[in-house]
């Protein structure tokens, strides 16, 4: 995450990449941030288990030299680890046979101006291996392909315009020789899209916008949404005020999943822009929802909107887990999303029908999901109004869970969820669009739910629709999760603790204090020496840690779009950093 030549490895692997959803075919590698197309972040490796995890020690470390938010997952292929940093998006190849000695470094040299339009720190969520190459994105809207063996550039393709407020922070996914990439910038009045690039040539194959006419959203005869409110011609135009869809958000900065059996990709679209909902009456299609598309041409198959006419910045970009679950005694092909709205959604992945939507956090902003219509049931008194402060809206803007990815274990059947427990006060304000500048129209203050801590790591049973155990944390848990065949779950905290817990009981097995807060994604792999290792990037930042990484003034409670008020004490518990830690028994 026996040294095997990259050329031979390419012959043995499917062209679009590879990944193992269960322990039955575990190869010990970690080729993409989610481990596999199903976004499970499960490894079948079991050398590290509940009986010996307490013996984990640092094997080696590597400094990135960057003191911004480190949200990426390292990837591992053929005894080489690849690490992408936050801006300036340097890509390192580290030799696992030499304790992480640098084999090569690729400097992408993104435009410095991109830092000024990044909404929530200059993060990057990871790179991917496929076809003997490494694919990654830069903050200034390029996708880059380099040779995995020597780091030489193969191609570099421009996808967006930072002068319009666009950036790219997501990790790409390579499916059927298409590199899938989406944009960031929903708080800058940009128009969201998912773009497919030919993995060999770097040429754009197709682009599907999240707003606008059907021809540009790639909606055609194959589009058959389950719910009536998603049916109709050019809803991406008609569900907006005139021309508002052109600056309406719906960016695609989260995760993409793939089901080879259905030949469908699944991904979520982000918030409608601006945050002030009174500026944009209507359902604001196709923001805050989940698309199913064909990877070959981008054609839309179905869409489900988790938050029509988004009121609270409740993006739907969170990862979709591709699972087969036994529901009511029948095996169902489902898609599970732990959503910002505060609900765990279980959908039929062939159709987009909501099978269940169960709250996993405190929710005051809605009364549930109407399964007949698929729509959220709003709480009228919590709706934002211009010039009025509406208090105690839960979940807060980052949702019950934000981008930080879950893990799913086929051994327990549970989802391991890192998340926050926050509420907020929301005031709508005047807003005007100027290209490349913030387009928000709201003042927000976040704080802990009454009587609760600000974060939690829990195990959720998606079939029984219940919490199995939970661990309270002082700060929001902003790291990703990892679960293994040894029944060990890993996650990190903003104070910098990297923790291993029993996946069945939640009992803490081990912890290690890193030098900075952890918002990265843990991985595990088997190296050529036959040993299992666990790795994590430490480096506080992102939206949750912008107070520290961006040197913000904590006297302004609305700074970082309201997050500063929720974590004003973070500087006393965490400082800037940028370090990779690798552990073994």
């Amino acid at each position: 995450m026996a040294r095997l030549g990259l050329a031979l490895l390419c012959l043995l692997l499917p062209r679009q990449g590879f990944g193992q959803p269960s322990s039955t075919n575990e190869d010990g590698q970690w080729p993409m941030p989610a481990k596999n197309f199903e976004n499970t972040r499960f490894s079948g490796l079991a050398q590290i288990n509940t009986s010996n995890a307490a013996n984990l020690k640092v094997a080696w470390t590597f400094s990135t030299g960057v003191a911004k938010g480190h949200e990426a997952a390292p990837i591992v292929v053929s005894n080489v680890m690849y690490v992408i940093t936050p801006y300036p998006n340097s890509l390192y190849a580290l030799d696992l046979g030499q304790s992480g000695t640098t084999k090569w470094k690729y400097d992408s040299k993104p435009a410095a101006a991109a830092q000024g339009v990044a909404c929530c720190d200059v993060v990057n969520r990871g790179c991917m291996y496929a076809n003997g190459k490494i694919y990654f994105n830069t903050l200034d809207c390029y996708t880059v392909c380099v040779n995995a063996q020597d780091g030489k550039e193969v191609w570099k393709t421009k996808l967006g315009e930072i002068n319009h407020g666009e950036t790219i922070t997501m990790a790409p996914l390579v499916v059927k020789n298409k590199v899938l990439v989406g944009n960031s910038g929903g708080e800058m009045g940009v128009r969201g899209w998912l773009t497919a690039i030919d993995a060999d040539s770097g040429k754009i194959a197709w682009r599907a916008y999240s707003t606008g006419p059907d021809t540009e959203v790639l909606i055609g005869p194959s589009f058959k949404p389950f719910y009536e409110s998603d049916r109709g011609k050019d809803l991406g135009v008609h569900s907006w005020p005139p021309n508002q869809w052109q600056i309406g958000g719906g960016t695609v900065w989260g995760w993409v999943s793939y089901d080879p059996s259905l030949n469908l990709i699944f991904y979520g679209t982000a918030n409608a822009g601006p945050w002030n909902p009174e500026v944009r009456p209507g359902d604001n299609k196709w923001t805050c929802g989940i698309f199913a598309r064909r990877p070959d041409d981008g054609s839309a198959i179905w869409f489900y909107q988790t938050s029509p006419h988004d009121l609270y910045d409740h993006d739907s970009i969170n990862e979709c887990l591709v699972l087969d679950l036994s529901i009511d005694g029948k095996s169902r092909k489902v898609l599970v999303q732990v959503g910002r709205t505060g609900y765990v959604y279980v959908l039929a992945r062939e159709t987009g029908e909501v099978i269940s939507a169960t709250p996993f956090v405190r929710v005051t902003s809605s009364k549930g999901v109407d399964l007949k219509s698929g729509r959220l049931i709003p709480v009228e008194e919590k709706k934002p109004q211009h010039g009025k402060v509406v208090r105690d809206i839960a979940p807060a803007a980052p949702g019950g869970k934000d981008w930080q990815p879950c893990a799913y274990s086929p051994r327990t059947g549970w989802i391991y969820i890192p998340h926050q427990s926050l509420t907020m006060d929301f005031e709508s304000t005047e807003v005007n669009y100027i290209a490349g500048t913030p387009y928000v129209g709201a003042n927000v203050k976040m704080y802990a739910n009454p009587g609760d801590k600000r974060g939690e790591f829990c195990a959720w049973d998606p079939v029984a629709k219940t919490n199995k155990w939970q661990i309270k944390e002082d700060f929001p848990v902003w790291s990703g999760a990892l679960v293994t065949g040894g029944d060990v779950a890993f996650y990190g905290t903003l104070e910098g603790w990297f923790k291993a817990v029993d996946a069945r009981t939640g009992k803490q097995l081990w912890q290690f204090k890193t030098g900075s807060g952890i918002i990265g994604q843990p991985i595990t792999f088997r190296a050529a020496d036959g040993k299992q290792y666990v790795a994590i990037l430490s480096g506080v930042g992102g939206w949750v840690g912008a107070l520290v990484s961006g040197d913000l003034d904590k006297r302004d409670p609305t700074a970082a779009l309201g997050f500063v008020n929720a974590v004003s004490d973070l500087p006393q518990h965490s400082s800037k950093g940028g370090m990779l830690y690798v552990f073994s028994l």
Side-chain angles (χ1 to χ4, degrees):
M1 59 139 271
R3 182 182 294 268
L4 184 66
L6 281 171
L8 175 59
L9 185 66
C10 293
L11 293 175
L12 297 177
L13 301 176
R15 184 165 176 76
Q16 69 270 25
F18 61 104
Q20 291 69 37
S22 71
S23 59
T24 57
N25 56 350
E26 176 59 57
D27 68 356
Q29 310 204 59
W30 198 282
M32 61 187 86
K35 169 66 169 172
N36 48 47
F37 291 128
E38 295 84 2
N39 263 270
T40 65
R41 292 174 170 80
F42 170 80
S43 167
L45 296 179
Q47 188 180 101
I48 299 168
N49 53 57
T50 55
S51 67
N52 61 22
N55 299 323
L56 284 168
K57 306 290 184 185
V58 175
W60 52 272
T61 62
F62 173 79
S63 173
T64 66
V66 181
K68 291 293 185 179
H70 284 63
E71 287 187 349
I75 64 170
V76 172
V77 177
S78 190
N79 217 43
V80 178
M81 177 181 287
Y82 302 91
V83 176
I84 180 73
T85 75
Y87 179 94
N89 303 136
S90 299
L91 178 68
Y92 292 90
L94 308 177
D95 188 339
L96 298 182
Q98 300 292 328
S99 298
T101 299
T102 301
K103 288 189 62 177
W104 52 257
K105 177 187 177 184
Y106 174 89
D107 286 315
S108 57
K109 298 182 174 63
Q115 300 172 89
V117 295
C119 153
C120 312
D121 205 355
V122 293
V123 299
N124 185 293
R125 298 186 181 89
C127 55
M128 179 171 174
Y129 172 90
N131 315 327
K133 303 178 183 70
I134 304 296
Y135 300 87
F136 69 97
N137 299 313
T138 63
L139 191 67
D140 63 342
C141 297
Y142 284 85
T143 297
V144 184
C145 170
V146 302
N147 186 289
Q149 193 165 19
D150 57 19
K152 292 184 178 179
E153 183 179 304
V154 179
W155 53 257
K156 184 175 183 179
T157 300
K158 185 177 182 179
L159 297 183
E161 294 287 346
I162 59 174
N163 291 336
H164 296 164
E166 289 182 297
T167 52
I168 298 178
T169 57
M170 72 172 291
L173 186 72
V174 183
V175 172
K176 301 184 76 172
N177 219 42
K178 301 286 195 305
V179 187
L180 303 172
V181 179
N183 61 347
S184 302
E187 281 65 48
M188 309 294 282
V190 310
R191 183 186 178 199
W193 44 254
L194 180 74
T195 297
I197 311 164
D198 181 271
D200 295 325
S201 68
K203 294 180 179 179
I204 293 175
W206 53 259
R207 172 168 288 186
Y209 284 95
S210 303
T211 66
D214 289 352
T215 54
E216 297 181 11
V217 185
L218 303 190
I219 286 176
S222 299
F223 186 60
K224 294 178 172 58
F226 188 85
Y227 296 102
E228 187 175 352
S229 61
D230 296 320
R231 302 172 193 159
K233 184 174 176 53
D234 292 330
L235 294 184
V237 173
H238 302 316
S239 61
W240 296 84
N243 300 319
Q244 184 68 31
W245 58 269
Q246 298 179 26
I247 51 174
T251 51
V252 183
W253 56 272
W255 303 102
V256 184
S257 307
Y258 176 55
D259 179 357
S261 68
L262 297 177
N263 191 32
L264 289 177
I265 57 169
F266 307 95
Y267 69 94
T269 58
N271 61 287
W275 284 21
N276 182 343
E278 293 178 292
V279 174
R280 44 176 175 79
D283 274 1
N284 309 139
K285 307 293 186 190
W286 304 91
T287 65
C288 292
I290 300 169
F291 266 114
R293 294 185 184 274
R294 298 282 181 222
D296 312 83
D297 59 6
S299 56
I301 303 302
W302 57 257
F303 177 86
Y304 169 66
Q305 194 165 28
T306 55
S307 185
H309 184 57
D310 176 37
L311 299 176
Y312 310 114
D313 184 45
H314 284 168
D315 304 35
S316 198
I317 58 85
N318 294 1
E319 73 286 354
C320 293
L321 300 167
V322 176
L323 307 176
D324 291 347
L325 299 179
S326 179
I327 298 175
D328 297 328
K330 297 180 179 180
S331 179
R332 299 286 303 269
K333 292 180 181 291
V334 302
L335 206 63
V336 180
Q337 186 185 75
V338 183
R340 273 169 80 154
T341 56
Y343 299 92
V344 177
Y345 295 89
V346 180
L347 287 77
R349 64 177 184 266
E350 303 101 324
T351 65
E353 176 190 8
V354 180
I355 298 170
S356 65
T358 310
F360 70 101
V361 292
R362 177 175 179 260
V363 178
T364 66
S365 54
S366 62
K367 299 176 182 178
V369 176
D370 180 344
L371 297 184
K372 185 176 181 179
S373 67
R375 298 177 72 90
L376 273 178
I377 305 169
V379 176
E380 293 298 324
E381 56 268 28
K382 296 296 183 182
K383 288 186 175 181
Q385 298 178 39
H386 182 72
K388 177 183 177 181
V389 177
V390 181
R391 304 193 185 278
D392 191 25
I393 299 171
K401 186 186 83 67
D402 202 292
W403 76 277
Q404 66 268 44
C406 304
Y408 170 80
S409 170
R411 292 172 54 83
T412 63
W414 301 343
I415 300 170
Y416 299 87
I417 308 174
H419 65 95
Q420 50 273 0
S421 179
L422 300 174
T423 187
M424 68 177 174
D425 298 339
F426 191 108
E427 179 188 25
S428 297
T429 63
E430 295 281 354
V431 60
N432 293 294
Y433 173 73
I434 302 174
T437 64
Y439 183 57
V440 178
N443 289 322
V444 171
K445 286 173 60 178
M446 303 182 212
Y447 45 95
N449 276 314
D452 203 358
K453 293 189 175 182
R454 289 167 285 183
E456 184 176 287
F457 186 73
C458 72
W460 181 269
D461 186 332
V463 176
K465 297 179 283 190
T466 186
N467 225 338
K468 305 304 290 187
W469 53 256
Q470 55 191 0
I471 301 168
K472 299 288 186 179
E473 296 287 356
D474 287 338
F475 288 98
V477 182
W478 208 255
S479 83
L482 161 69
V483 66
T484 72
D487 289 337
V488 182
F490 293 88
Y491 71 99
T493 74
L494 284 184
E495 300 99 317
W497 289 105
F498 187 43
K499 299 187 178 187
V501 301
D502 188 313
R504 296 185 184 274
T505 67
K507 177 185 175 182
Q508 183 170 300
L509 303 171
W510 168 86
Q511 64 177 358
F512 178 87
K513 184 67 166 64
T514 67
S516 182
I518 297 174
I519 61 170
Q521 305 163 55
I523 70 161
T524 188
F525 60 92
R526 183 174 55 235
D529 60 9
K531 293 177 64 175
Q532 181 184 356
Y533 294 81
V534 180
I536 186 70
L537 280 164
S538 169
V540 74
W543 189 8
V544 69
L547 171 61
V548 177
S549 65
D551 296 313
L552 304 182
D553 189 342
K554 67 180 181 181
R555 293 173 297 180
D556 178 6
T558 66
L561 297 171
F563 230 134
V564 163
N565 193 69
V567 295
S568 60
D569 54 336
L570 184 59
Q572 283 74 57
H573 299 273
S574 187
S575 56
K576 295 180 183 181
M579 184 75 75
L580 171 74
Y581 293 82
V582 180
F583 303 90
S584 66
L585 295 173

